[in-house]
Amino acid sequence: MLGLVVHEPLANGGLRLGWGVGHHVLDLLEGARALDHYAFEVRDFDGVAAIRDRLQAAGYTVSSVDVDLIDSSIGHAHGISVVDPDGNTVQFHSPVWRQGEGAATPGRRPVKYQHITLGTTDVTPLAAFFTDIVGFQISDQLDDGRFAWLRSDKDHHTLAIVNVGEAGNVDHYSYDLAEWEDFKSWCDKLTEYDVDVAWGPGRHGPGNNLFVFFDDPAGNHVELSAEMEKFYDDRVTYVPRRWEPLPKTVNLWGGQTPSWRRVGGTA
Amino acid sequence: MLGLVVHEPLANGGLRLGWGVGHHVLDLLEGARALDHYAFEVRDFDGVAAIRDRLQAAGYTVSSVDVDLIDSSIGHAHGISVVDPDGNTVQFHSPVWRQGEGAATPGRRPVKYQHITLGTTDVTPLAAFFTDIVGFQISDQLDDGRFAWLRSDKDHHTLAIVNVGEAGNVDHYSYDLAEWEDFKSWCDKLTEYDVDVAWGPGRHGPGNNLFVFFDDPAGNHVELSAEMEKFYDDRVTYVPRRWEPLPKTVNLWGGQTPSWRRVGGTA
Amino acid sequence: MLGLVVHEPLANGGLRLGWGVGHHVLDLLEGARALDHYAFEVRDFDGVAAIRDRLQAAGYTVSSVDVDLIDSSIGHAHGISVVDPDGNTVQFHSPVWRQGEGAATPGRRPVKYQHITLGTTDVTPLAAFFTDIVGFQISDQLDDGRFAWLRSDKDHHTLAIVNVGEAGNVDHYSYDLAEWEDFKSWCDKLTEYDVDVAWGPGRHGPGNNLFVFFDDPAGNHVELSAEMEKFYDDRVTYVPRRWEPLPKTVNLWGGQTPSWRRVGGTA
Amino acid sequence: MLGLVVHEPLANGGLRLGWGVGHHVLDLLEGARALDHYAFEVRDFDGVAAIRDRLQAAGYTVSSVDVDLIDSSIGHAHGISVVDPDGNTVQFHSPVWRQGEGAATPGRRPVKYQHITLGTTDVTPLAAFFTDIVGFQISDQLDDGRFAWLRSDKDHHTLAIVNVGEAGNVDHYSYDLAEWEDFKSWCDKLTEYDVDVAWGPGRHGPGNNLFVFFDDPAGNHVELSAEMEKFYDDRVTYVPRRWEPLPKTVNLWGGQTPSWRRVGGTA
Amino acid sequence: MLGLVVHEPLANGGLRLGWGVGHHVLDLLEGARALDHYAFEVRDFDGVAAIRDRLQAAGYTVSSVDVDLIDSSIGHAHGISVVDPDGNTVQFHSPVWRQGEGAATPGRRPVKYQHITLGTTDVTPLAAFFTDIVGFQISDQLDDGRFAWLRSDKDHHTLAIVNVGEAGNVDHYSYDLAEWEDFKSWCDKLTEYDVDVAWGPGRHGPGNNLFVFFDDPAGNHVELSAEMEKFYDDRVTYVPRRWEPLPKTVNLWGGQTPSWRRVGGTA
Amino acid sequence: MLGLVVHEPLANGGLRLGWGVGHHVLDLLEGARALDHYAFEVRDFDGVAAIRDRLQAAGYTVSSVDVDLIDSSIGHAHGISVVDPDGNTVQFHSPVWRQGEGAATPGRRPVKYQHITLGTTDVTPLAAFFTDIVGFQISDQLDDGRFAWLRSDKDHHTLAIVNVGEAGNVDHYSYDLAEWEDFKSWCDKLTEYDVDVAWGPGRHGPGNNLFVFFDDPAGNHVELSAEMEKFYDDRVTYVPRRWEPLPKTVNLWGGQTPSWRRVGGTA
C-alpha cells in the first residue's frame, strides 16, 4: 500500500523488526531510496468513484489500479491512481480486511498503520490537492505554512505534509499503539534489537498524540503513536488551528528535538 | 455455531465491525431476522454421546450434524441436533480449536465468544430442558421467574433465558473482554465506527460481570463482558440465588435501563 | 470555595461519601438548597488585582473577602467578591496549598476539584461577564447557545454555563480522577454505599473527557471526570467550536441521557 | 480497634513496616502475645443501640466503652463492650472518619483495614453468637464445620472464625489492596525490608479474593487482600455455601499451603 | 524445536492448554518421557557456521539438520546437530519467523518461548561446553556449583543447567509473559482448566524475573516468566555473580519451595 | 535533609511544583546556588554510631547535629555531621517517619526521595570516602572513572558521583515513581505548569531505571525514577561493573543527550 524502496536485502537481522512491523503495508522494491507510490483505503464503497470524478473534473488523469495488487478486498476490489502535484503516484482503493494487523506485534498490543507524512518543498499546493479535490480537511497547521496535518476520518490526521526542502519524499510513516504502557515495551524491545530511539517519547501539540520515533533499516523515520485526538465532523464545526512554529509545539513536553525536525527559523 | 440471519448484505462499512467481532462464530444467512439455530461445544469427548443418550431417554428426536460444518475439530468431529421446547434447533458438537479468537480484536485484547441469551414466552420449560436433560445448572434467577442464568462450566452462565414476550428469539449474544481497560477502548472504537452504546457500561448483579451493549447491523443486541463470577462445582455446593426483579439487579451501579431490558412490573 | 447549601445534618451515613469527596472545597450551610457563592483560585499573584481592576472599570462593585476564610494561602492571602449578572456572589482569591486533595480519596487515586457548571436562564450575558471582564475564554459551545464551556488555564473548561430554565443554580460540580481505571473503582464504591450512578460512564464531546455522574445527599449532581482536553494558548490560536445540540454531543458513546440533561429541542 | 500485644519495642527497623501498615488500627500493649480485645465500627447510627438491646435480651452483660478511646467519631461517639463465648472482649462503636487510611501506604495505593479472623476450638457457638445475636450472616463455611466466613456489610466477610485448636486467638488480620498490581509492589517492598511472604500470592475460594500473607514482628499472620466478592442482601436471597475442606478450596490456584493453614484431615 | 515426549494422546481436554501454549515449539513424539533433542535459533546469519567451526575445532562431530524440519526460515534455512557432554542432541539453526507466537495465547498478551533448563548430574562440563565452545556466557551461578544460568543474547538466561541427580533431563521450559498483570490472568485460566500452580507466583534472585510454575500433561515443569534482567555485553563488562544456595535466592519473596526445587543442603 | 539554596522567593507559581515535590526534604536557604549540606538516614539504630567510629578512626572530625532539626524521629533522635573530601557537609541521622511522602504527589502515586548525585572534579577520593569509611558499595562505574554509582541498601544507588568539572555541586537529586504509567502523568502535569522536560523519558544502563529529568526553579536538575535494580548483598557477591562511557550507557534507548550529560570524550 505504501511503497518504499530499501537499499538492502531482507535477509539480515536488523531488518527483521521493520519487517515485522510493516510487513503487510510495505511493498519493498529494489532501487534507490525514494517514494515509489503511496495509497489510501476508502471506507465508503462509492468513495473511490467520487474521488475519481472530482479528480477528473479538476483535470487530473486517473488510471485504474491492477486489482490483483489489492489483497483481501471487501466486496468488489477497485482502485485508481493519480499523480499528485509533487509528481508522486497516489492510489485510492476499496476497503480491505484488517484482521491481520494485530498479528505483527512482536510482544505487545495490536498495531495498525496510521498515517504517512510527505516531505515537500511547498506545503500549500499539495495540501490544496488533498483538501480541494480529494476531500481531506485540515486539522492543524504551523503558522509559517511549513507543516499541515490533514484528516479523512475521525483521526486528527491520516496524512501530514511538511516542508523538508525537497519533494517526493516520505518524512515518516506512523503506526498506532494501544496505550502509553506500550511505549516502554517498544523502547525496550527496540533496545534489545539495537535500534535506537530517534526522538521521544513525547507528546505532539497538533494531534495531542504520544509519540516515539526510530529509523527503519532503510533510514526512513518510523513513528509509534497513541491517544490521537478525534474529530466529529458530523456534529461539530472545526476551524483549522494555527500553531506557532516552536519546539514546544511539536513536543508539548519539551526536551531535545532531533536534527531532522527543526521548527521555527531552523526548519 | 450461532446461527443468526441478517437483513443486509455484507458490503457496507457499518457491518464491518460486527463482522470483525463475530466473524467465525456467526453463520450469516439471507432471510428475515430470526434464530436459525444455536450450538454448544462440549469439552468432554464423551459428552456429546451422553447428552444424546439423555435426550433420547427423554423422548427427543436427535439427528447428526454434518461434520463438514464443524471446522477445526480436535480429534474426531461429531455433533448432534435437537429441537428445544421453543422449537429452536440446538446443536451439541465436539471441541474445536480456539486459537483464532484473539485475532478478531480490532485494537485490544482477545475476545472469546461467551454466551447466548434466548428470548422466550416462558422461561421454566426451556430452563428445565437444559437443566434436567442436557445437564446445565442454574446459577441465578429473577424471583418473578422471568430470567434465568445457567452454567455448563466454571463461568456463571454460558446460557441465559429471558421472557421477552415472544419465543424463538435471541435476546443478545455476548463476548468476553480481558478487563475493564478494554471497555473504554471498545466504546471509543465503536464511536469511531458510528455504533452507539445501547446500555452501560455497568455491572450486572447476576454474574457480577462488567458489561456494555451495542447493536449489530441486523439489530441484535451484542454484549461485551468481563470479570464474570466463577463456579467450582467440584468443591462447593451451590443453591441457585433468587434476585428481586429490580433495575439495581440487572445493573448494580444504577443508571438508565434501555427500553428492551425492563425488570419488575414493566418487563 | 464552592458554597452549597444542604438540607440535612451531616450526621448520617449517606452523607459520608459526599463529605469525603468534597470536604475541603464545600462550605455547608443550613438553609434551602441554593447557590450561596462560588469562588476561583487565581494562580498568578497579581491576577486578583487585575481582575478587580477590570471589574471596577466595567462598573462592578468589588468587595474584599475576609482573609480568614482563605485557608493555607501561598504567600499573602487576599480575595475579592463581586455579584455576577445572575445575582450570584463570585469570589476570586490568591493561591492555596493543594497537598491535601489526594488524601480524601476513599480507595483510589487522587481527586482534585475541577469545575462548576452554573445553571441559568440565559447563557450569553453570564458567558460575556466571564470572557469580556474576568478573562476566561470559550472553548466550546452548543450551536443553539444553550451551553458554553469556558477555560481559565490549560483545562478545556474550569467553568461551564448551561440553560436549565432557572438562574442562580448549580447544574453540577466536578472532580478529576486520574484515569479510566478509577471509574470502575468509584462505581463499585458508590454501589457499596448505595449511591446510584445517574449518568454514564461515558465520554463528553466538548472537552473529550470521560465522565460519570451521581447525586450528593443534597441532590446536586456531582461529576467525576478524566482525560480532559488541554489548551495551549501560549502557542496556538483557537476559535471556539460549535457543536450540534444532540445527545451524541454530550455523550460521544451514545446511550441513555438522564432527564436533567436533554439537548436539542427538549432542553 | 483491634487489640494485639507485641513482644518487642517499636524501636527496630523490622517493626517499621508492620507499624506503617496498621498504625492507626492497632493498640499495641506490653505483655504476652494474646488477644486483648477486638472491635467493630457500626455504620448505622442507631445500630450500636440495637446490638446492645439484642445482647441484653440474650442475657449478655454489656458495658460502655470510654468514648475517649474513639478517635474522630462522626457525630456523637458511643460504644459498647461485651465478652464473646470464647471469653474475648468485643466492642461495637459508632462510625469514625476514614480519611487517614490511604496515608499509611508506603508506596502503593490505599489500604483499608478489612477483617479479623478469630482462632477458636469450636466454630459453631462463636458463629452463632455473631449471627443470632449481633446480626452477622454466614457467607461461606467449610463442610467439616471448622471454618466460617461472616459478613456485616457488602463484603463477603468482615469476620472469619477458624478452628485452630485453641481459643482466644487471632488467626490473622487483613487489609485491602486496590488491585492485583499492588501485590507485586508489596511483595517487592516486603523483600526490601527482609519480610518473607508466608503464603501466596493466591486466590481464596470463599470470598474469591486474591491474597498474600506475611507475619508482623509479633508473629501474627497479616493478609493483604483484593477483589473480595460482594453481597447485596437488599436485593438477593443467599444460602450459605458449603465448601469441601481441601487445599484447592483455600487457594483456588493450588500451590503449597503453609503449615498453619491445613485443611481437611490435617487441620 | 524443543523435543519432548508425552505419554498421552492429544485428544483430551487437559492437554489443550499445554498444547495451546507450546504448539509451535514442541515436537511431540510417542515414547517414554525423555529429552529427545533441544535446539537454538541463531540470529546472526553466519552464526551457525561459526558454531560449527568451533565445535569441529573442539573435536565434536557435527551433522546437518534436515532443512525440511525448519519451518518459515528467514532466508536460506540451515542447521547443525551435535551431541552435548550429557549425550543429548542439540541443534543450532538459522532464524525463523516469529509472528505466530502471539497467536497462541488463550486470553492474554503474547507469549514467546524463552528458555530451557537442563537437568544433569554435573553442571560444570555442560556449562563449559556452552561457554567455551558454543559461545554462551554465565550470568549467575549458585555458589555450590549446582545451578548455572547462561545467556546468548540480552536476556539474563536463554539456557540454565541444574544438578537434579540425573542427566538427559529437562528440568523445565519457560515462556515469557508481557507483565505481572498476566500472572493473575494465567493463574485464573489454569484454575479454569483444573491445572494447579506448582510454585509461585514469586520472583527469582538470578535473573530477577517474576515466575509461576505449573506442570504440562506429561509432567514437565513449565514456567511463565516476566521482567527478566537484560545484559548489554556490547557496552559493559560483567563478572558472573555467585549466589548463596538458599530458598531466598530462588525466590526473593520467600514462601514455600516445591519438593523438586530444593536449594542448599537438600538439593 | 538535602540542603539546597534557591535564588528566588517561594511566592511564585512556577516554584509551586518543585515545592510540591520536595517540600519536606529540602531546606531552602537564601543565598547563592550552592550545596549547603546533604544528609543520609541510617536505618539501623546503631548505624550512626558505627559510622561515627569509622570516621573518627580515619581521622575525620565529627560533630553532632542539632536534634531539633530531625523531625519525626523514630525513637531517640541523633545525628552526626562531617566534612567530605570535597568540603561538603554531610550528615548521618537516625530513622524518621516516612508516612507523609505520598501526600506530596499532585496527581499520581507516591513519590519517595531516592538519591542525590554529587558533582565533583575527581570521583575517586569522594567514592573512596563513602566506600572505605562510611560503608557504601560501588554498584556500577564508567570505565573512564568519571561516574560512580554507590549503594547503601538494596537500591542500586542511593548516592552517585559524577565528574562535572567543579566540586561542591549537586548534579541532580532524584525521586521514585511507582511505575512507567506515572511518567506520562508527570510529563503532562509538568507541561501544565510550563516546566520543560530536560532529558528523557529513557532508561539508564547503570541501575536499569526508567528516568525523566526536569529543572527545579533554582536550576537544579531533578530526576524522576522507577524500576531501579535491586542488590541482595546478604545472599550474593557482586563485583562492580564497568560501563563504556557512551550515550547508550546513560540511556539504553538512545535518543538525544542534554548538554549537561555528555559521556565519553565530551564530558
Side-chain angles (χ1 to χ4, degrees), chain B residues 205 243 246-254 263, chain C residues 194 196, chain D residues 234-235:
Chain B
W243 292 76
L246 297 170
K248 288 200 330 185
T249 285
V250 291
N251 188 356
L252 292 173
W253 294 349
V263 291
Chain C
D194 292 317
D196 274 2
Chain D
D234 59 335
R235 68 200 88 160

Side-chain angles (χ1 to χ4, degrees), chain D residues 244-259:
Chain D
E244 299 275 325
L246 298 170
K248 287 200 331 186
T249 285
V250 290
N251 188 356
L252 292 172
W253 292 350
Q256 297 81 32
T257 311
S259 57

Side-chain angles (χ1 to χ4, degrees), chain C residues 108-163:
Chain C
R108 287 293 299 181
R109 315 261 181 73
V111 167
K112 73 164 184 180
Y113 176 69
Q114 206 277 330
H115 74 266
I116 184 177
T117 296
L118 301 173
T120 186
T121 55
D122 193 355
V123 169
T124 307
L126 209 48
F129 170 77
F130 280 102
T131 55
D132 298 349
I133 302 170
V134 180
F136 282 68
Q137 300 204 67
I138 292 179
S139 297
D140 276 313
Q141 53 196 322
L142 290 193
D143 204 41
D144 61 6
R146 300 175 70 88
F147 215 138
W149 291 263
L150 294 85
R151 72 181 175 276
S152 56
D153 57 19
K154 292 199 177 67
D155 278 337
H156 171 273
H157 57 281
T158 47
L159 173 69
I161 305 171
V162 61
N163 189 326

Side-chain angles (χ1 to χ4, degrees), chain B residues 14-90:
Chain B
L15 195 54
R16 195 185 312 161
L17 184 75
W19 195 224
V21 174
H23 74 288
H24 52 264
V25 294
L26 292 179
D27 299 333
L28 295 153
L29 308 178
E30 299 281 342
R33 180 180 164 222
L35 178 62
D36 184 75
H37 72 273
Y38 56 104
F40 294 93
E41 175 190 356
V42 184
R43 276 196 198 156
D44 175 0
F45 262 60
D46 301 323
V48 174
I51 292 171
R52 184 197 56 215
D53 292 349
R54 290 196 299 269
L55 286 166
Q56 288 175 334
Y60 284 85
T61 303
V62 179
S63 60
S64 288
V65 172
D66 180 354
V67 294
D68 292 348
L69 297 177
I70 306 173
D71 288 339
S72 310
S73 181
I74 298 174
H76 171 65
H78 56 290
I80 59 175
S81 184
V82 69
V83 177
D84 76 18
D86 265 19
N88 305 309
T89 298
V90 53

Side-chain angles (χ1 to χ4, degrees), chain E residues 178-189:
Chain E
E179 55 181 7
W180 171 248
E181 187 71 19
D182 298 344
F183 282 77
K184 181 181 83 169
S185 215
W186 270 88
C187 289
D188 282 340
K189 177 64 71 180

Side-chain angles (χ1 to χ4, degrees), chain D residues 16-58:
Chain D
R16 195 185 314 162
L17 183 75
W19 194 227
V21 173
H23 73 290
H24 52 264
V25 294
L26 292 180
D27 300 332
L28 296 153
L29 307 179
E30 299 282 340
R33 179 179 165 224
L35 178 62
D36 182 73
H37 70 274
Y38 58 104
F40 294 93
E41 175 190 356
V42 183
R43 277 195 199 159
D44 176 359
F45 262 60
D46 302 325
V48 173
I51 292 171
R52 183 197 55 213
D53 293 348
R54 290 196 298 269
L55 285 167
Q56 288 175 335

Side-chain angles (χ1 to χ4, degrees), chain D residues 180 183 202-203 208-212 224-227 253, chain E residues 184:
Chain D
W180 171 249
F183 282 76
R203 190 189 280 281
N208 200 42
N209 49 320
L210 297 165
F211 69 85
V212 70
L224 301 174
S225 168
E227 298 193 8
W253 292 350
Chain E
K184 181 181 83 169

